[in-house]
Amino acid sequence: MLSTSTEAGKDGATRSVVGTAKRALYSGARLLAVWLVVFAVLGLSIEGIARLIFPYVPPSVWDYRGSRPPAYKNSPFFSKDFIGESRSHQNWINPKGTRIIYPGDYSGRWFNVSEGIRRTVGSPETAERRILLIGSSTIYNAEVPDDFTIASRLQAILKDHGIAKIQVLNFGASGVNVAQQLERLKTLTIAPREIVLFYDGTGDAMQGVFYANFDGWIVGENRKQLDNFIARNRPGIERLARYSRFFNWLYAKSTNYLPEHLKHPDQIKSLAAESKEKLLKGLLETNAYVHSKGASFIHILQPDLFTRPLRHVELPLVQNHFLTMEGTEPALRAAHDEFKSLTGSLTSAGVVAFDATNLLNDVTEPIYLDFAHTNELANQRIAEFLFDALSRSGTLAGN
């Protein structure tokens, strides 16, 4: 009987411990559930308040363009697939030991690149001469398909004027300035009577004034501003920012920055003056190099969002720092003030040069997708200006 009593006591103790554990576990689960509810309510409250207070900011250039903004409203090629290919096809190559930038080869529906040159639609299979069209991303034109680039539109204009034996080559590359353009040019074969046409200005202004590093690379400077965590996890962070207004606000705040020197107007003006002198020096060197090859050189000073007064429809481009970084407007406007004399200085030095900064002033339709990049309507106008510059310079004589 004693043994039976002892065993019963042990069983009772075991049941008591198990019961206590179950009650503790149940209490813990209830407490956890309560805290989860509290956190959920708190999170939803924060998100609800954020949606009331903070406007949605497209967390990348591609989110903005994918929303079919005003500049794309009448674009016949626009689609989600086009925006996807526009983003995914870009692979910029920087050969070791150089500052040269060029696009990697790609074959797609809207974008085609071969040997670092974007396809020019309508290019003659056999050509007697070439126009080497060189500039930054505003010549590469990732905003439009191959047939709407400035190079392709210029090729079409040449054909319309009965000039069928001159080939236009698109040597656009992301974020380069004149020094990088010249470095790449020196790796190319230039035949006598060919034409080298530089279309630039904004990249040099950004590199020299906004970044205060004329000898750098715009894409590289952008990467320096992001910490390693954001750089490594950007796709996931952008995805969260698309769906959470609070996270959208947090991401926008954490990635926005104003370089210290742009807080001082005197430094901005000094950098603008220095950038103009370096740009002038680079263009004079380019002109001498091209002429040493028996070819012709033409320089075009380009327009951008800040070479004219802002339209109301363009304000979202400035308010979203993923499209136009804070400080870009004062940096570019100061540079443009200094660059006004550039074309005159080049002409006086014997360089064939034209100023296109006022070219788009009378265009009332939305044409800009950020502070510098344009749609097909503007590209057509720019191509017409380039053809007029070529004609006036006499370089097309004899075709």
Side-chain angles (χ1 to χ4, degrees), residues 178-179 182-183 185-186 198 277-292 297 346 349 351:
V178 162
L182 176 56
E183 186 174 355
L185 179 64
K186 289 181 176 180
F198 273 19
E277 291 304 314
K278 289 186 174 181
L279 178 55
L280 176 61
K281 179 181 178 181
L283 292 171
L284 291 175
E285 183 181 350
T286 302
N287 184 67
Y289 177 77
V290 172
H291 280 279
S292 73
F297 176 67
L346 289 169
V351 180

mmCIF file with all atom_site columns, all heavy atoms in Angstrom, residues 178-179 182-183 185-186 198 277-292 297 346 349 351:
data_model
loop_
_atom_site.group_PDB
_atom_site.id
_atom_site.type_symbol
_atom_site.label_atom_id
_atom_site.label_alt_id
_atom_site.label_comp_id
_atom_site.label_asym_id
_atom_site.label_entity_id
_atom_site.label_seq_id
_atom_site.pdbx_PDB_ins_code
_atom_site.Cartn_x
_atom_site.Cartn_y
_atom_site.Cartn_z
_atom_site.occupancy
_atom_site.B_iso_or_equiv
_atom_site.pdbx_formal_charge
_atom_site.auth_seq_id
_atom_site.auth_comp_id
_atom_site.auth_asym_id
_atom_site.auth_atom_id
_atom_site.pdbx_PDB_model_num
ATOM 1   N N   . VAL A 1 178 ? 33.489 65.806 -70.297 1.00 0.00 ? 178 VAL A N   1
ATOM 2   C CA  . VAL A 1 178 ? 34.308 65.998 -71.504 1.00 0.00 ? 178 VAL A CA  1
ATOM 3   C C   . VAL A 1 178 ? 35.642 65.272 -71.420 1.00 0.00 ? 178 VAL A C   1
ATOM 4   O O   . VAL A 1 178 ? 36.108 64.691 -72.414 1.00 0.00 ? 178 VAL A O   1
ATOM 5   C CB  . VAL A 1 178 ? 34.511 67.501 -71.769 1.00 0.00 ? 178 VAL A CB  1
ATOM 6   C CG1 . VAL A 1 178 ? 35.688 67.735 -72.706 1.00 0.00 ? 178 VAL A CG1 1
ATOM 7   C CG2 . VAL A 1 178 ? 33.246 68.100 -72.393 1.00 0.00 ? 178 VAL A CG2 1
ATOM 8   N N   . ALA A 1 179 ? 36.261 65.277 -70.243 1.00 0.00 ? 179 ALA A N   1
ATOM 9   C CA  . ALA A 1 179 ? 37.552 64.593 -70.105 1.00 0.00 ? 179 ALA A CA  1
ATOM 10  C C   . ALA A 1 179 ? 37.416 63.098 -70.404 1.00 0.00 ? 179 ALA A C   1
ATOM 11  O O   . ALA A 1 179 ? 38.270 62.506 -71.075 1.00 0.00 ? 179 ALA A O   1
ATOM 12  C CB  . ALA A 1 179 ? 38.113 64.810 -68.698 1.00 0.00 ? 179 ALA A CB  1
ATOM 13  N N   . LEU A 1 182 ? 36.825 62.562 -74.207 1.00 0.00 ? 182 LEU A N   1
ATOM 14  C CA  . LEU A 1 182 ? 38.067 62.656 -74.965 1.00 0.00 ? 182 LEU A CA  1
ATOM 15  C C   . LEU A 1 182 ? 38.915 61.397 -74.770 1.00 0.00 ? 182 LEU A C   1
ATOM 16  O O   . LEU A 1 182 ? 39.515 60.893 -75.729 1.00 0.00 ? 182 LEU A O   1
ATOM 17  C CB  . LEU A 1 182 ? 38.857 63.895 -74.542 1.00 0.00 ? 182 LEU A CB  1
ATOM 18  C CG  . LEU A 1 182 ? 40.235 64.074 -75.177 1.00 0.00 ? 182 LEU A CG  1
ATOM 19  C CD1 . LEU A 1 182 ? 40.150 64.084 -76.699 1.00 0.00 ? 182 LEU A CD1 1
ATOM 20  C CD2 . LEU A 1 182 ? 40.904 65.344 -74.659 1.00 0.00 ? 182 LEU A CD2 1
ATOM 21  N N   . GLU A 1 183 ? 38.938 60.873 -73.546 1.00 0.00 ? 183 GLU A N   1
ATOM 22  C CA  . GLU A 1 183 ? 39.718 59.660 -73.284 1.00 0.00 ? 183 GLU A CA  1
ATOM 23  C C   . GLU A 1 183 ? 39.182 58.504 -74.125 1.00 0.00 ? 183 GLU A C   1
ATOM 24  O O   . GLU A 1 183 ? 39.958 57.729 -74.703 1.00 0.00 ? 183 GLU A O   1
ATOM 25  C CB  . GLU A 1 183 ? 39.668 59.301 -71.797 1.00 0.00 ? 183 GLU A CB  1
ATOM 26  C CG  . GLU A 1 183 ? 40.579 58.131 -71.430 1.00 0.00 ? 183 GLU A CG  1
ATOM 27  C CD  . GLU A 1 183 ? 40.628 57.874 -69.938 1.00 0.00 ? 183 GLU A CD  1
ATOM 28  O OE1 . GLU A 1 183 ? 40.042 58.658 -69.160 1.00 0.00 ? 183 GLU A OE1 1
ATOM 29  O OE2 . GLU A 1 183 ? 41.255 56.873 -69.541 1.00 0.00 ? 183 GLU A OE2 1
ATOM 30  N N   . LEU A 1 185 ? 37.424 58.846 -76.937 1.00 0.00 ? 185 LEU A N   1
ATOM 31  C CA  . LEU A 1 185 ? 37.639 59.205 -78.337 1.00 0.00 ? 185 LEU A CA  1
ATOM 32  C C   . LEU A 1 185 ? 39.020 58.765 -78.808 1.00 0.00 ? 185 LEU A C   1
ATOM 33  O O   . LEU A 1 185 ? 39.195 58.310 -79.955 1.00 0.00 ? 185 LEU A O   1
ATOM 34  C CB  . LEU A 1 185 ? 37.478 60.722 -78.519 1.00 0.00 ? 185 LEU A CB  1
ATOM 35  C CG  . LEU A 1 185 ? 37.691 61.270 -79.928 1.00 0.00 ? 185 LEU A CG  1
ATOM 36  C CD1 . LEU A 1 185 ? 36.645 60.724 -80.895 1.00 0.00 ? 185 LEU A CD1 1
ATOM 37  C CD2 . LEU A 1 185 ? 37.662 62.802 -79.911 1.00 0.00 ? 185 LEU A CD2 1
ATOM 38  N N   . LYS A 1 186 ? 40.008 58.876 -77.932 1.00 0.00 ? 186 LYS A N   1
ATOM 39  C CA  . LYS A 1 186 ? 41.375 58.531 -78.304 1.00 0.00 ? 186 LYS A CA  1
ATOM 40  C C   . LYS A 1 186 ? 41.568 57.027 -78.505 1.00 0.00 ? 186 LYS A C   1
ATOM 41  O O   . LYS A 1 186 ? 42.601 56.608 -79.020 1.00 0.00 ? 186 LYS A O   1
ATOM 42  C CB  . LYS A 1 186 ? 42.353 59.054 -77.246 1.00 0.00 ? 186 LYS A CB  1
ATOM 43  C CG  . LYS A 1 186 ? 42.488 60.577 -77.264 1.00 0.00 ? 186 LYS A CG  1
ATOM 44  C CD  . LYS A 1 186 ? 43.477 61.067 -76.220 1.00 0.00 ? 186 LYS A CD  1
ATOM 45  C CE  . LYS A 1 186 ? 43.665 62.580 -76.309 1.00 0.00 ? 186 LYS A CE  1
ATOM 46  N NZ  . LYS A 1 186 ? 44.624 63.089 -75.297 1.00 0.00 ? 186 LYS A NZ  1
ATOM 47  N N   . PHE A 1 198 ? 30.484 66.588 -80.137 1.00 0.00 ? 198 PHE A N   1
ATOM 48  C CA  . PHE A 1 198 ? 30.293 66.493 -78.692 1.00 0.00 ? 198 PHE A CA  1
ATOM 49  C C   . PHE A 1 198 ? 29.022 67.246 -78.308 1.00 0.00 ? 198 PHE A C   1
ATOM 50  O O   . PHE A 1 198 ? 28.855 68.420 -78.665 1.00 0.00 ? 198 PHE A O   1
ATOM 51  C CB  . PHE A 1 198 ? 31.479 67.111 -77.939 1.00 0.00 ? 198 PHE A CB  1
ATOM 52  C CG  . PHE A 1 198 ? 32.623 66.171 -77.688 1.00 0.00 ? 198 PHE A CG  1
ATOM 53  C CD1 . PHE A 1 198 ? 32.783 65.005 -78.418 1.00 0.00 ? 198 PHE A CD1 1
ATOM 54  C CD2 . PHE A 1 198 ? 33.567 66.473 -76.706 1.00 0.00 ? 198 PHE A CD2 1
ATOM 55  C CE1 . PHE A 1 198 ? 33.847 64.145 -78.193 1.00 0.00 ? 198 PHE A CE1 1
ATOM 56  C CE2 . PHE A 1 198 ? 34.643 65.624 -76.462 1.00 0.00 ? 198 PHE A CE2 1
ATOM 57  C CZ  . PHE A 1 198 ? 34.785 64.456 -77.200 1.00 0.00 ? 198 PHE A CZ  1
ATOM 58  N N   . GLU A 1 277 ? 36.176 76.657 -66.908 1.00 0.00 ? 277 GLU A N   1
ATOM 59  C CA  . GLU A 1 277 ? 37.541 76.714 -67.425 1.00 0.00 ? 277 GLU A CA  1
ATOM 60  C C   . GLU A 1 277 ? 38.057 75.320 -67.791 1.00 0.00 ? 277 GLU A C   1
ATOM 61  O O   . GLU A 1 277 ? 38.720 75.146 -68.816 1.00 0.00 ? 277 GLU A O   1
ATOM 62  C CB  . GLU A 1 277 ? 38.470 77.364 -66.385 1.00 0.00 ? 277 GLU A CB  1
ATOM 63  C CG  . GLU A 1 277 ? 38.209 78.845 -66.171 1.00 0.00 ? 277 GLU A CG  1
ATOM 64  C CD  . GLU A 1 277 ? 38.295 79.629 -67.478 1.00 0.00 ? 277 GLU A CD  1
ATOM 65  O OE1 . GLU A 1 277 ? 39.258 79.403 -68.249 1.00 0.00 ? 277 GLU A OE1 1
ATOM 66  O OE2 . GLU A 1 277 ? 37.399 80.454 -67.740 1.00 0.00 ? 277 GLU A OE2 1
ATOM 67  N N   . LYS A 1 278 ? 37.746 74.325 -66.972 1.00 0.00 ? 278 LYS A N   1
ATOM 68  C CA  . LYS A 1 278 ? 38.184 72.962 -67.277 1.00 0.00 ? 278 LYS A CA  1
ATOM 69  C C   . LYS A 1 278 ? 37.449 72.413 -68.500 1.00 0.00 ? 278 LYS A C   1
ATOM 70  O O   . LYS A 1 278 ? 38.032 71.700 -69.321 1.00 0.00 ? 278 LYS A O   1
ATOM 71  C CB  . LYS A 1 278 ? 37.965 72.058 -66.072 1.00 0.00 ? 278 LYS A CB  1
ATOM 72  C CG  . LYS A 1 278 ? 38.920 72.355 -64.924 1.00 0.00 ? 278 LYS A CG  1
ATOM 73  C CD  . LYS A 1 278 ? 38.782 71.345 -63.799 1.00 0.00 ? 278 LYS A CD  1
ATOM 74  C CE  . LYS A 1 278 ? 39.845 71.581 -62.729 1.00 0.00 ? 278 LYS A CE  1
ATOM 75  N NZ  . LYS A 1 278 ? 39.769 70.596 -61.630 1.00 0.00 ? 278 LYS A NZ  1
ATOM 76  N N   . LEU A 1 279 ? 36.174 72.752 -68.629 1.00 0.00 ? 279 LEU A N   1
ATOM 77  C CA  . LEU A 1 279 ? 35.409 72.338 -69.795 1.00 0.00 ? 279 LEU A CA  1
ATOM 78  C C   . LEU A 1 279 ? 35.989 72.964 -71.056 1.00 0.00 ? 279 LEU A C   1
ATOM 79  O O   . LEU A 1 279 ? 36.171 72.280 -72.073 1.00 0.00 ? 279 LEU A O   1
ATOM 80  C CB  . LEU A 1 279 ? 33.943 72.749 -69.612 1.00 0.00 ? 279 LEU A CB  1
ATOM 81  C CG  . LEU A 1 279 ? 32.975 72.438 -70.757 1.00 0.00 ? 279 LEU A CG  1
ATOM 82  C CD1 . LEU A 1 279 ? 32.995 70.964 -71.119 1.00 0.00 ? 279 LEU A CD1 1
ATOM 83  C CD2 . LEU A 1 279 ? 31.559 72.881 -70.371 1.00 0.00 ? 279 LEU A CD2 1
ATOM 84  N N   . LEU A 1 280 ? 36.292 74.252 -70.992 1.00 0.00 ? 280 LEU A N   1
ATOM 85  C CA  . LEU A 1 280 ? 36.881 74.944 -72.135 1.00 0.00 ? 280 LEU A CA  1
ATOM 86  C C   . LEU A 1 280 ? 38.223 74.318 -72.512 1.00 0.00 ? 280 LEU A C   1
ATOM 87  O O   . LEU A 1 280 ? 38.488 74.053 -73.700 1.00 0.00 ? 280 LEU A O   1
ATOM 88  C CB  . LEU A 1 280 ? 37.071 76.428 -71.792 1.00 0.00 ? 280 LEU A CB  1
ATOM 89  C CG  . LEU A 1 280 ? 37.778 77.286 -72.851 1.00 0.00 ? 280 LEU A CG  1
ATOM 90  C CD1 . LEU A 1 280 ? 36.999 77.300 -74.152 1.00 0.00 ? 280 LEU A CD1 1
ATOM 91  C CD2 . LEU A 1 280 ? 37.981 78.707 -72.316 1.00 0.00 ? 280 LEU A CD2 1
ATOM 92  N N   . LYS A 1 281 ? 39.052 74.051 -71.524 1.00 0.00 ? 281 LYS A N   1
ATOM 93  C CA  . LYS A 1 281 ? 40.358 73.445 -71.791 1.00 0.00 ? 281 LYS A CA  1
ATOM 94  C C   . LYS A 1 281 ? 40.203 72.073 -72.448 1.00 0.00 ? 281 LYS A C   1
ATOM 95  O O   . LYS A 1 281 ? 40.899 71.747 -73.419 1.00 0.00 ? 281 LYS A O   1
ATOM 96  C CB  . LYS A 1 281 ? 41.137 73.310 -70.486 1.00 0.00 ? 281 LYS A CB  1
ATOM 97  C CG  . LYS A 1 281 ? 42.515 72.670 -70.647 1.00 0.00 ? 281 LYS A CG  1
ATOM 98  C CD  . LYS A 1 281 ? 43.225 72.543 -69.300 1.00 0.00 ? 281 LYS A CD  1
ATOM 99  C CE  . LYS A 1 281 ? 44.582 71.854 -69.467 1.00 0.00 ? 281 LYS A CE  1
ATOM 100 N NZ  . LYS A 1 281 ? 45.273 71.691 -68.151 1.00 0.00 ? 281 LYS A NZ  1
ATOM 101 N N   . GLY A 1 282 ? 39.269 71.257 -71.949 1.00 0.00 ? 282 GLY A N   1
ATOM 102 C CA  . GLY A 1 282 ? 39.049 69.931 -72.512 1.00 0.00 ? 282 GLY A CA  1
ATOM 103 C C   . GLY A 1 282 ? 38.553 69.984 -73.941 1.00 0.00 ? 282 GLY A C   1
ATOM 104 O O   . GLY A 1 282 ? 38.948 69.169 -74.785 1.00 0.00 ? 282 GLY A O   1
ATOM 105 N N   . LEU A 1 283 ? 37.698 70.946 -74.254 1.00 0.00 ? 283 LEU A N   1
ATOM 106 C CA  . LEU A 1 283 ? 37.163 71.072 -75.606 1.00 0.00 ? 283 LEU A CA  1
ATOM 107 C C   . LEU A 1 283 ? 38.213 71.578 -76.586 1.00 0.00 ? 283 LEU A C   1
ATOM 108 O O   . LEU A 1 283 ? 38.252 71.143 -77.741 1.00 0.00 ? 283 LEU A O   1
ATOM 109 C CB  . LEU A 1 283 ? 35.939 71.993 -75.596 1.00 0.00 ? 283 LEU A CB  1
ATOM 110 C CG  . LEU A 1 283 ? 34.717 71.416 -74.870 1.00 0.00 ? 283 LEU A CG  1
ATOM 111 C CD1 . LEU A 1 283 ? 33.639 72.483 -74.717 1.00 0.00 ? 283 LEU A CD1 1
ATOM 112 C CD2 . LEU A 1 283 ? 34.176 70.195 -75.609 1.00 0.00 ? 283 LEU A CD2 1
ATOM 113 N N   . LEU A 1 284 ? 39.069 72.471 -76.128 1.00 0.00 ? 284 LEU A N   1
ATOM 114 C CA  . LEU A 1 284 ? 40.159 72.947 -76.995 1.00 0.00 ? 284 LEU A CA  1
ATOM 115 C C   . LEU A 1 284 ? 41.125 71.792 -77.298 1.00 0.00 ? 284 LEU A C   1
ATOM 116 O O   . LEU A 1 284 ? 41.601 71.654 -78.435 1.00 0.00 ? 284 LEU A O   1
ATOM 117 C CB  . LEU A 1 284 ? 40.901 74.109 -76.321 1.00 0.00 ? 284 LEU A CB  1
ATOM 118 C CG  . LEU A 1 284 ? 40.115 75.416 -76.185 1.00 0.00 ? 284 LEU A CG  1
ATOM 119 C CD1 . LEU A 1 284 ? 40.918 76.437 -75.389 1.00 0.00 ? 284 LEU A CD1 1
ATOM 120 C CD2 . LEU A 1 284 ? 39.765 75.982 -77.567 1.00 0.00 ? 284 LEU A CD2 1
ATOM 121 N N   . GLU A 1 285 ? 41.397 70.980 -76.302 1.00 0.00 ? 285 GLU A N   1
ATOM 122 C CA  . GLU A 1 285 ? 42.272 69.823 -76.512 1.00 0.00 ? 285 GLU A CA  1
ATOM 123 C C   . GLU A 1 285 ? 41.620 68.830 -77.477 1.00 0.00 ? 285 GLU A C   1
ATOM 124 O O   . GLU A 1 285 ? 42.289 68.262 -78.352 1.00 0.00 ? 285 GLU A O   1
ATOM 125 C CB  . GLU A 1 285 ? 42.562 69.144 -75.176 1.00 0.00 ? 285 GLU A CB  1
ATOM 126 C CG  . GLU A 1 285 ? 43.530 67.964 -75.290 1.00 0.00 ? 285 GLU A CG  1
ATOM 127 C CD  . GLU A 1 285 ? 43.789 67.280 -73.963 1.00 0.00 ? 285 GLU A CD  1
ATOM 128 O OE1 . GLU A 1 285 ? 43.379 67.807 -72.908 1.00 0.00 ? 285 GLU A OE1 1
ATOM 129 O OE2 . GLU A 1 285 ? 44.402 66.181 -73.985 1.00 0.00 ? 285 GLU A OE2 1
ATOM 130 N N   . THR A 1 286 ? 40.309 68.638 -77.320 1.00 0.00 ? 286 THR A N   1
ATOM 131 C CA  . THR A 1 286 ? 39.584 67.729 -78.212 1.00 0.00 ? 286 THR A CA  1
ATOM 132 C C   . THR A 1 286 ? 39.615 68.233 -79.650 1.00 0.00 ? 286 THR A C   1
ATOM 133 O O   . THR A 1 286 ? 39.846 67.460 -80.590 1.00 0.00 ? 286 THR A O   1
ATOM 134 C CB  . THR A 1 286 ? 38.117 67.585 -77.756 1.00 0.00 ? 286 THR A CB  1
ATOM 135 O OG1 . THR A 1 286 ? 38.086 67.097 -76.411 1.00 0.00 ? 286 THR A OG1 1
ATOM 136 C CG2 . THR A 1 286 ? 37.359 66.625 -78.659 1.00 0.00 ? 286 THR A CG2 1
ATOM 137 N N   . ASN A 1 287 ? 39.395 69.523 -79.812 1.00 0.00 ? 287 ASN A N   1
ATOM 138 C CA  . ASN A 1 287 ? 39.403 70.116 -81.157 1.00 0.00 ? 287 ASN A CA  1
ATOM 139 C C   . ASN A 1 287 ? 40.753 69.897 -81.841 1.00 0.00 ? 287 ASN A C   1
ATOM 140 O O   . ASN A 1 287 ? 40.821 69.504 -83.015 1.00 0.00 ? 287 ASN A O   1
ATOM 141 C CB  . ASN A 1 287 ? 39.093 71.611 -81.054 1.00 0.00 ? 287 ASN A CB  1
ATOM 142 C CG  . ASN A 1 287 ? 38.995 72.276 -82.416 1.00 0.00 ? 287 ASN A CG  1
ATOM 143 O OD1 . ASN A 1 287 ? 38.084 72.001 -83.194 1.00 0.00 ? 287 ASN A OD1 1
ATOM 144 N ND2 . ASN A 1 287 ? 39.944 73.170 -82.707 1.00 0.00 ? 287 ASN A ND2 1
ATOM 145 N N   . ALA A 1 288 ? 41.840 70.126 -81.086 1.00 0.00 ? 288 ALA A N   1
ATOM 146 C CA  . ALA A 1 288 ? 43.178 69.950 -81.657 1.00 0.00 ? 288 ALA A CA  1
ATOM 147 C C   . ALA A 1 288 ? 43.417 68.488 -82.020 1.00 0.00 ? 288 ALA A C   1
ATOM 148 O O   . ALA A 1 288 ? 43.991 68.188 -83.084 1.00 0.00 ? 288 ALA A O   1
ATOM 149 C CB  . ALA A 1 288 ? 44.232 70.433 -80.654 1.00 0.00 ? 288 ALA A CB  1
ATOM 150 N N   . TYR A 1 289 ? 42.981 67.589 -81.170 1.00 0.00 ? 289 TYR A N   1
ATOM 151 C CA  . TYR A 1 289 ? 43.176 66.150 -81.429 1.00 0.00 ? 289 TYR A CA  1
ATOM 152 C C   . TYR A 1 289 ? 42.409 65.714 -82.673 1.00 0.00 ? 289 TYR A C   1
ATOM 153 O O   . TYR A 1 289 ? 42.956 65.013 -83.541 1.00 0.00 ? 289 TYR A O   1
ATOM 154 C CB  . TYR A 1 289 ? 42.731 65.337 -80.221 1.00 0.00 ? 289 TYR A CB  1
ATOM 155 C CG  . TYR A 1 289 ? 42.831 63.847 -80.448 1.00 0.00 ? 289 TYR A CG  1
ATOM 156 C CD1 . TYR A 1 289 ? 44.059 63.187 -80.391 1.00 0.00 ? 289 TYR A CD1 1
ATOM 157 C CD2 . TYR A 1 289 ? 41.697 63.085 -80.753 1.00 0.00 ? 289 TYR A CD2 1
ATOM 158 C CE1 . TYR A 1 289 ? 44.159 61.819 -80.620 1.00 0.00 ? 289 TYR A CE1 1
ATOM 159 C CE2 . TYR A 1 289 ? 41.786 61.720 -80.979 1.00 0.00 ? 289 TYR A CE2 1
ATOM 160 C CZ  . TYR A 1 289 ? 43.023 61.101 -80.917 1.00 0.00 ? 289 TYR A CZ  1
ATOM 161 O OH  . TYR A 1 289 ? 43.106 59.750 -81.163 1.00 0.00 ? 289 TYR A OH  1
ATOM 162 N N   . VAL A 1 290 ? 41.154 66.112 -82.778 1.00 0.00 ? 290 VAL A N   1
ATOM 163 C CA  . VAL A 1 290 ? 40.331 65.714 -83.927 1.00 0.00 ? 290 VAL A CA  1
ATOM 164 C C   . VAL A 1 290 ? 40.913 66.263 -85.226 1.00 0.00 ? 290 VAL A C   1
ATOM 165 O O   . VAL A 1 290 ? 41.000 65.556 -86.239 1.00 0.00 ? 290 VAL A O   1
ATOM 166 C CB  . VAL A 1 290 ? 38.873 66.180 -83.728 1.00 0.00 ? 290 VAL A CB  1
ATOM 167 C CG1 . VAL A 1 290 ? 38.052 65.937 -84.999 1.00 0.00 ? 290 VAL A CG1 1
ATOM 168 C CG2 . VAL A 1 290 ? 38.233 65.454 -82.548 1.00 0.00 ? 290 VAL A CG2 1
ATOM 169 N N   . HIS A 1 291 ? 41.347 67.517 -85.212 1.00 0.00 ? 291 HIS A N   1
ATOM 170 C CA  . HIS A 1 291 ? 41.921 68.113 -86.420 1.00 0.00 ? 291 HIS A CA  1
ATOM 171 C C   . HIS A 1 291 ? 43.236 67.450 -86.807 1.00 0.00 ? 291 HIS A C   1
ATOM 172 O O   . HIS A 1 291 ? 43.582 67.388 -87.994 1.00 0.00 ? 291 HIS A O   1
ATOM 173 C CB  . HIS A 1 291 ? 42.109 69.626 -86.230 1.00 0.00 ? 291 HIS A CB  1
ATOM 174 C CG  . HIS A 1 291 ? 40.844 70.400 -86.412 1.00 0.00 ? 291 HIS A CG  1
ATOM 175 N ND1 . HIS A 1 291 ? 40.350 70.752 -87.663 1.00 0.00 ? 291 HIS A ND1 1
ATOM 176 C CD2 . HIS A 1 291 ? 39.950 70.873 -85.518 1.00 0.00 ? 291 HIS A CD2 1
ATOM 177 C CE1 . HIS A 1 291 ? 39.216 71.415 -87.516 1.00 0.00 ? 291 HIS A CE1 1
ATOM 178 N NE2 . HIS A 1 291 ? 38.947 71.500 -86.218 1.00 0.00 ? 291 HIS A NE2 1
ATOM 179 N N   . SER A 1 292 ? 43.950 66.930 -85.815 1.00 0.00 ? 292 SER A N   1
ATOM 180 C CA  . SER A 1 292 ? 45.202 66.233 -86.127 1.00 0.00 ? 292 SER A CA  1
ATOM 181 C C   . SER A 1 292 ? 44.940 64.948 -86.912 1.00 0.00 ? 292 SER A C   1
ATOM 182 O O   . SER A 1 292 ? 45.846 64.418 -87.553 1.00 0.00 ? 292 SER A O   1
ATOM 183 C CB  . SER A 1 292 ? 45.965 65.906 -84.838 1.00 0.00 ? 292 SER A CB  1
ATOM 184 O OG  . SER A 1 292 ? 45.340 64.842 -84.124 1.00 0.00 ? 292 SER A OG  1
ATOM 185 N N   . PHE A 1 297 ? 35.478 68.847 -85.959 1.00 0.00 ? 297 PHE A N   1
ATOM 186 C CA  . PHE A 1 297 ? 34.948 68.797 -84.598 1.00 0.00 ? 297 PHE A CA  1
ATOM 187 C C   . PHE A 1 297 ? 33.882 69.869 -84.426 1.00 0.00 ? 297 PHE A C   1
ATOM 188 O O   . PHE A 1 297 ? 34.063 71.018 -84.860 1.00 0.00 ? 297 PHE A O   1
ATOM 189 C CB  . PHE A 1 297 ? 36.050 68.998 -83.562 1.00 0.00 ? 297 PHE A CB  1
ATOM 190 C CG  . PHE A 1 297 ? 35.540 69.045 -82.146 1.00 0.00 ? 297 PHE A CG  1
ATOM 191 C CD1 . PHE A 1 297 ? 34.988 67.914 -81.562 1.00 0.00 ? 297 PHE A CD1 1
ATOM 192 C CD2 . PHE A 1 297 ? 35.598 70.214 -81.401 1.00 0.00 ? 297 PHE A CD2 1
ATOM 193 C CE1 . PHE A 1 297 ? 34.508 67.943 -80.255 1.00 0.00 ? 297 PHE A CE1 1
ATOM 194 C CE2 . PHE A 1 297 ? 35.132 70.257 -80.091 1.00 0.00 ? 297 PHE A CE2 1
ATOM 195 C CZ  . PHE A 1 297 ? 34.582 69.118 -79.518 1.00 0.00 ? 297 PHE A CZ  1
ATOM 196 N N   . LEU A 1 346 ? 34.898 79.443 -77.368 1.00 0.00 ? 346 LEU A N   1
ATOM 197 C CA  . LEU A 1 346 ? 35.301 78.401 -78.306 1.00 0.00 ? 346 LEU A CA  1
ATOM 198 C C   . LEU A 1 346 ? 35.374 78.935 -79.733 1.00 0.00 ? 346 LEU A C   1
ATOM 199 O O   . LEU A 1 346 ? 36.334 78.661 -80.470 1.00 0.00 ? 346 LEU A O   1
ATOM 200 C CB  . LEU A 1 346 ? 34.313 77.224 -78.234 1.00 0.00 ? 346 LEU A CB  1
ATOM 201 C CG  . LEU A 1 346 ? 34.360 76.365 -76.967 1.00 0.00 ? 346 LEU A CG  1
ATOM 202 C CD1 . LEU A 1 346 ? 33.163 75.422 -76.922 1.00 0.00 ? 346 LEU A CD1 1
ATOM 203 C CD2 . LEU A 1 346 ? 35.664 75.568 -76.899 1.00 0.00 ? 346 LEU A CD2 1
ATOM 204 N N   . ALA A 1 349 ? 38.337 80.886 -80.421 1.00 0.00 ? 349 ALA A N   1
ATOM 205 C CA  . ALA A 1 349 ? 39.539 80.059 -80.510 1.00 0.00 ? 349 ALA A CA  1
ATOM 206 C C   . ALA A 1 349 ? 39.547 79.190 -81.767 1.00 0.00 ? 349 ALA A C   1
ATOM 207 O O   . ALA A 1 349 ? 40.426 78.346 -81.925 1.00 0.00 ? 349 ALA A O   1
ATOM 208 C CB  . ALA A 1 349 ? 39.651 79.179 -79.267 1.00 0.00 ? 349 ALA A CB  1
ATOM 209 N N   . VAL A 1 351 ? 37.043 77.075 -82.756 1.00 0.00 ? 351 VAL A N   1
ATOM 210 C CA  . VAL A 1 351 ? 36.268 75.835 -82.623 1.00 0.00 ? 351 VAL A CA  1
ATOM 211 C C   . VAL A 1 351 ? 34.859 76.078 -83.157 1.00 0.00 ? 351 VAL A C   1
ATOM 212 O O   . VAL A 1 351 ? 34.236 77.108 -82.855 1.00 0.00 ? 351 VAL A O   1
ATOM 213 C CB  . VAL A 1 351 ? 36.199 75.370 -81.154 1.00 0.00 ? 351 VAL A CB  1
ATOM 214 C CG1 . VAL A 1 351 ? 35.393 74.076 -81.039 1.00 0.00 ? 351 VAL A CG1 1
ATOM 215 C CG2 . VAL A 1 351 ? 37.597 75.193 -80.585 1.00 0.00 ? 351 VAL A CG2 1
#
